[in-house]
Amino acid sequence: MTLRMLVAAAIAAAVATSASAQTQRLRGEIQRVEGTTIFAKARDGSAVTVKLAENATITAAYKATLADIRVGDYIGSGATPQPDGSQKAIEVHIFAASMRGQGDGHRPWNGAPNSTMTNGAVDSAVSGVDGHVPVVKYKDGDKRIVVGPDTPIVRYEVGNLADLKAGAAFSVLAATKQPDGTFTAPRLTVGREGGTPQ
C-alpha cells in the first residue's frame, strides 16, 4: 500500500512539474486582435498567439515619473539590497486603487540576480543624494526604496479589450502553452499612451 502511495505521489509531482513547465512569461508587441485572440510578436521576434480567458483581467500600464509616486500610493518595486539596508529600485509599479494589497510584503525576486520585491504603501518620502526615497510599509515591516532618475516607473489602471491595439506593448506573467503552440492567459497587461509593461 505504501509503495502504491509513493508511486501515486511521484506521478502527481511529475504532472505538476510538467504543467508548471508549460507556463511562462510573454512580452512583446501586439500585431492584431480578433475578439479575445491576440496575434503578437514576442521580444525575441517570434510570432505568438495568445487567447484570453472569457473573463480575463486586463490592466493598462502608463509611463510614469518620480513625481507620480505620492504618499499613500500602493506600489511594488523590484530592487537590489544596499549595504545600508535600503533597496535600490530596478523598476517601480504604481498600482491602481483596486489592486491595493496585491502581493503585500518583502521577498526574493527573480527579476535580477540577488534582487528583492517590495509591495506596500508609501508611508513617507524624501529626496536623497541618489534620488527619491519613499519608505514603503507592508504588513510585517518597511523598506526604504531608492528610486533614481532613470528608474523605469509605470502606473497601472483597470483596462479593457479596447486597449488591445496593434502597436501596443503587452506582458503576460503566466501564459499556458497549448498543444497547438498557442497560449492561453487569465490576465494581461497592456501599454496605454506609450506605457510599457515591465
Side-chain angles (χ1 to χ4, degrees):
M1 188 63 168
T2 303
L3 180 59
R4 286 182 183 175
M5 291 175 67
L6 288 172
V7 170
I11 291 172
V15 169
T17 301
S18 175
S20 65
Q22 295 299 313
T23 301
Q24 63 188 69
R25 183 171 187 174
L26 294 177
R27 288 186 285 184
E29 182 180 295
I30 295 173
Q31 303 295 296
R32 74 179 198 278
V33 180
E34 294 180 6
T36 56
T37 300
I38 299 164
F39 299 90
K41 181 166 63 176
R43 286 191 173 178
D44 65 2
S46 63
V48 293
T49 300
V50 182
K51 298 176 181 178
L52 294 178
E54 186 175 338
N55 297 315
T57 299
I58 298 173
T59 303
Y62 292 84
K63 185 175 182 180
T65 67
L66 285 172
D68 294 309
I69 302 174
R70 301 182 177 92
V71 172
D73 284 344
Y74 191 81
I75 71 170
S77 177
T80 53
Q82 302 300 295
D84 65 357
S86 67
Q87 308 288 309
K88 185 174 182 180
I90 297 170
E91 60 187 47
V92 176
H93 309 258
I94 305 170
F95 292 105
S98 62
M99 302 166 77
R100 193 174 190 86
Q102 181 173 298
D104 190 78
H106 176 76
R107 58 197 171 278
W109 181 53
N110 62 3
N114 304 313
S115 60
T116 62
M117 176 59 71
T118 305
N119 285 18
V122 177
D123 184 60
S124 61
V126 297
S127 293
V129 176
D130 298 319
H132 191 68
V133 187
V135 174
V136 177
K137 294 195 80 169
Y138 47 91
K139 183 176 66 174
D140 299 320
D142 60 61
K143 292 292 178 185
R144 288 180 296 124
I145 312 292
V146 180
V147 185
D150 299 323
T151 303
I153 304 171
V154 295
R155 177 173 57 86
Y156 295 123
E157 295 294 343
V158 175
N160 55 57
L161 286 173
D163 292 312
L164 306 180
K165 301 174 181 177
F170 79 96
S171 173
V172 177
L173 289 178
T176 303
K177 193 167 188 178
Q178 303 301 310
D180 64 359
T182 64
F183 292 88
T184 57
R187 60 186 67 240
L188 174 144
T189 302
V190 61
R192 185 190 281 176
E193 297 179 9
T196 302
Q198 299 300 315

